[in-house]
Amino acid sequence: MGAADPRSEYAARLSRWSATLARADHQHVLLSNLRLAAVLVTALVAWLAFAREACSAAWIAVPAVSFVLLLARHARVLRARDRARVALRYYERGLSRLAGTWRGAGPDGARFLDEHSYANDLDLFGSGSLFQLLSTATTEAGEETLARWLSRTATASDVLVRQEAVAELRDHTDFRESIALFASESRALRTRVLVRWAETRPEGFSPWHGWLFGAMAVVTVAVVVTVGMEFLPSPLLLIWLAVEGGIALVWRTKVHQVIRRADAASDDLGLLSSLLERIETETFRSARLVTLQRTLTRNEVMPSRHIARLQRVIAVRDVSRNPFMHPFALLLCLRTQAAVAIDRWHAAHRDELTRWIEAVGELEALSSLAAYAFEHPADPFPVIADGPARFDAKGLAHPLLDEAVAVRNDVTLGGASPQVLVVSGSNMSGKSTLLRAIGTNAVMALMGAPVRATLLTITPLAIGATIRVHDSLLEGQSRFYAEILRLREIVTKARSGPLLFLLDEILHGTNSKDRRIGADAILRALVGAGAVGLITTHDLALAEF
């Protein structure tokens, strides 16, 4: 597909969905009035048939059937209206990202903030964060996968296959739109509920339980018919119902557990099924997307069909909750039979369900990166190099800053260049912003996303930062002590593999002499371990290192 201007593409789609919403609103009002008219006509025909005997009672079926048909049509219109509203929010948020007014809108990933050492330093999570800029995920699995990629350095091979997948999805706007519309921004698909259900041990119902309860239902029907035809005495029906109730009571606790757990997961199963069905029907070329799609199949049966089969069983269970149908469902053991079928499905597909959710989460994370790539066509994918730690950027800028105000810099670390750069300058001169620009772009590069630079060559690196270090009253830690602990962690990490360190005003909580001695020892340890990085300071004596 050819490249499209993101702003005009989003504006055109927003206009189409606005027209769809207007039509749905009009149809909603019309169908509401028609439903009311059908009710009134039904009442009128019933009055004419029974009170005035002016027509046959059979004529009641005409407006009654019309009402049922209108009800079904109205339900479809309401679903279309809800979908259009979600689409409008989706493209409005996309246009706000392009306009630079996106901060504070949409999921911010704040729940992941405490899980990572440098997340706060580089604004990875929280309001106005990189997560909020990138994420278009509508499932908890998608959000968790994206957060994991932001927090962990991937291998070179993983980065390369993600880049290929993101490049393919970048121009598949229709597919990314459909994935994003299965849940609204205010309520992500609760995949954790489904994962907990998958991890729960089944109650152990076997096929013979299904045969037993099915046979009980057949016997009940036979007894009712024969007693009604007076082939058997009436007390026999009461005896059989007592026997049936006693047998059902034996498994009552297990049935209750199965139904309770299925109830917690049923709504999210429907959304997951729709999402999987959309993924199943897409044609992919890149290796990772093809692999993800293949993980969804087993014996040529798509997961959406497996879930649809379960939903039909759950629908049978729902019948037993209808006040009118409840007595019949009780006689036929519908709830118990449904519980057996649900438990057997759970036992057969619990491992697959976890795998399906993981695949959906990864695809949503890739789709989020693809949306960013589509919206920033000038941002290239980085070159992933081998060898010692290296970070070589041309025209580097901070991706969270508006392009119009971001200052671009060239930064080269490692290779034939120095391993360490010491940056000094006055307050508010942009030293910390430069550190964050380097760290944030490194994070994006090593998760498979494009970067805000004209060119970036990077080797797989762990990241260590002391840009925002705070004291802790509860833990009795001063800021200086908290920084020492963070620096020790960074040095330890450097000794276990290639590292990019970003140290802002290193050891500024102590006097100049001690700062110089301490900083010298820390930098020598980092350089000796092969790490590369920057430090900022007002103490120019550190430049003598």
Side-chain angles (χ1 to χ4, degrees):
M1 298 182 183
D5 173 61
R7 185 170 280 101
S8 60
E9 179 70 17
Y10 283 1
R13 288 173 178 266
L14 185 69
S15 177
R16 289 200 296 270
W17 279 109
S18 296
T20 299
L21 179 60
R23 287 195 301 271
D25 282 334
H26 175 74
Q27 291 174 350
H28 163 62
V29 173
L30 177 62
L31 289 168
S32 296
N33 292 332
L34 290 175
R35 284 174 56 187
L36 178 60
V39 171
L40 295 176
V41 171
T42 301
L44 176 62
V45 173
W47 177 75
L48 291 173
F50 296 111
R52 303 299 298 271
E53 297 183 354
C55 65
S56 171
W59 283 101
I60 298 176
V62 175
V65 171
S66 299
F67 176 82
V68 173
L69 295 176
L70 288 169
L71 192 65
R73 173 61 181 166
H74 199 182
R76 290 195 296 271
V77 168
L78 291 177
R79 286 195 297 270
R81 186 179 66 166
D82 290 342
R83 186 176 176 84
R85 286 174 173 170
V86 174
L88 288 178
R89 289 196 295 269
Y90 175 74
Y91 286 114
E92 285 168 354
R93 188 178 167 214
L95 287 171
S96 72
R97 289 194 297 268
L98 293 171
T101 58
W102 55 272
R103 293 166 184 80
D108 60 14
R111 61 191 173 102
F112 305 109
L113 190 56
D114 295 332
E115 299 178 10
H116 201 269
S117 59
Y118 58 78
N120 192 48
D121 296 281
L122 301 181
D123 299 303
L124 298 188
F125 305 108
S127 181
S129 66
L130 187 59
F131 181 94
Q132 192 167 63
L133 173 64
L134 294 176
S135 180
T136 61
T138 58
T139 71
E140 289 173 338
E143 292 180 351
E144 289 163 1
T145 301
L146 185 64
R148 187 168 61 252
W149 290 359
L150 282 165
S151 304
R152 299 180 189 174
T153 299
T155 64
S157 59
D158 283 343
V159 173
L160 292 175
V161 296
R162 288 178 193 171
Q163 287 182 355
E164 183 187 20
V166 170
E168 179 179 356
L169 290 174
R170 176 179 53 206
D171 297 324
H172 285 213
T173 310
D174 288 337
F175 176 74
R176 288 189 284 104
E177 172 192 280
S178 61
I179 292 298
L181 299 192
F182 282 107
S184 68
E185 290 181 356
S186 60
R187 179 185 176 276
L189 171 57
R190 302 173 303 167
T191 47
R192 281 184 292 175
V193 172
L194 298 177
V195 170
R196 283 197 297 270
W197 183 53
E199 293 173 346
T200 303
R201 191 180 187 87
E203 292 298 327
F205 284 112
S206 62
W208 78 265
H209 287 97
W211 285 105
L212 172 63
F213 296 123
M216 288 168 55
V218 171
V219 172
T220 299
V221 172
V223 172
V224 169
V225 171
T226 54
V227 169
M229 297 177 67
E230 298 183 353
F231 291 151
L232 293 174
S234 298
L236 186 61
L237 175 59
L238 298 177
I239 294 172
W240 167 247
L241 293 179
V243 172
E244 182 185 43
I247 295 173
L249 191 62
V250 174
W251 287 280
R252 180 178 179 274
T253 301
K254 287 188 175 183
V255 168
H256 174 73
Q257 290 292 346
V258 170
I259 296 298
R260 182 180 61 83
R261 293 166 186 161
D263 283 344
S266 59
D267 290 341
D268 298 291
L269 278 170
L271 284 174
L272 179 63
S273 179
S274 299
L275 192 55
L276 289 169
E277 186 175 8
R278 180 63 184 89
I279 296 170
E280 292 161 1
T281 57
E282 188 70 12
T283 301
F284 297 120
R285 298 186 309 275
S286 62
R288 187 56 193 160
L289 293 176
V290 170
T291 300
L292 283 175
Q293 195 175 52
R294 286 175 179 169
T295 63
L296 299 178
T297 61
R298 178 186 177 188
N299 299 326
E300 303 302 322
V301 179
M302 298 298 182
S304 60
R305 295 184 183 178
H306 285 301
I307 296 176
R309 191 177 302 126
L310 174 62
Q311 288 180 295
R312 287 194 291 270
V313 176
I314 292 175
V316 171
R317 178 234 31 209
D318 290 339
V319 169
S320 66
R321 293 177 172 172
N322 185 291
F324 177 75
M325 295 298 297
H326 182 70
F328 302 99
L330 195 62
L331 290 172
L332 299 176
C333 301
L334 289 186
R335 185 172 183 270
T336 307
Q337 292 187 74
V340 172
I342 291 170
D343 192 62
R344 291 184 61 198
W345 189 99
H346 180 206
H349 300 291
R350 55 192 298 234
D351 294 335
E352 290 178 313
L353 181 59
T354 301
R355 189 172 71 249
W356 299 338
I357 292 170
E358 289 173 351
V360 166
E362 184 171 346
L363 195 141
E364 275 215 298
L366 291 169
S367 184
S368 293
L369 301 186
Y372 177 88
F374 177 76
E375 293 166 8
H376 300 85
D379 289 3
F381 287 106
V383 176
I384 308 301
D386 297 324
R390 180 184 173 195
F391 184 95
D392 185 0
K394 307 298 181 185
L396 184 80
H398 200 305
L400 297 182
L401 295 179
D402 293 340
E403 295 185 45
V405 300
V407 177
R408 291 182 177 266
N409 295 277
D410 296 346
V411 179
T412 303
L413 298 164
S417 301
Q419 287 179 247
V420 183
L421 293 178
V422 179
V423 181
S424 186
S426 62
N427 290 329
M428 299 181 67
S429 61
K431 302 187 301 296
S432 298
T433 301
L434 175 61
L435 293 186
R436 292 192 180 95
I438 294 170
T440 304
N441 277 285
V443 168
M444 296 180 70
L446 297 174
M447 69 185 297
V451 293
R452 182 61 54 82
T454 56
L455 178 66
L456 174 62
T457 301
I458 187 173
T459 56
L461 297 164
I463 299 172
T466 59
I467 301 174
R468 288 195 184 111
V469 181
H470 304 287
D471 58 1
S472 175
L473 181 63
L474 292 178
E475 296 181 11
Q477 293 180 0
S478 66
R479 189 212 178 275
F480 179 74
Y481 183 61
E483 184 180 7
I484 290 295
L485 293 178
R486 181 79 67 82
L487 288 169
R488 183 178 67 180
E489 176 187 337
I490 292 172
V491 171
T492 301
K493 190 182 295 185
R495 289 169 176 162
S496 62
L499 176 85
L500 171 66
F501 60 87
L502 305 164
L503 311 181
D504 192 24
E505 295 295 338
I506 184 171
L507 300 177
H508 78 286
T510 187
N511 62 63
S512 178
K513 180 180 178 180
D514 289 343
R515 180 191 308 140
R516 181 177 179 183
I517 294 171
D520 184 84
I522 291 166
L523 291 178
R524 289 187 185 279
L526 290 170
V527 170
V532 298
L534 275 79
I535 66 169
T536 67
T537 182
H538 286 97
D539 189 348
L540 294 181
L542 293 180
E544 298 176 5
F545 167 79

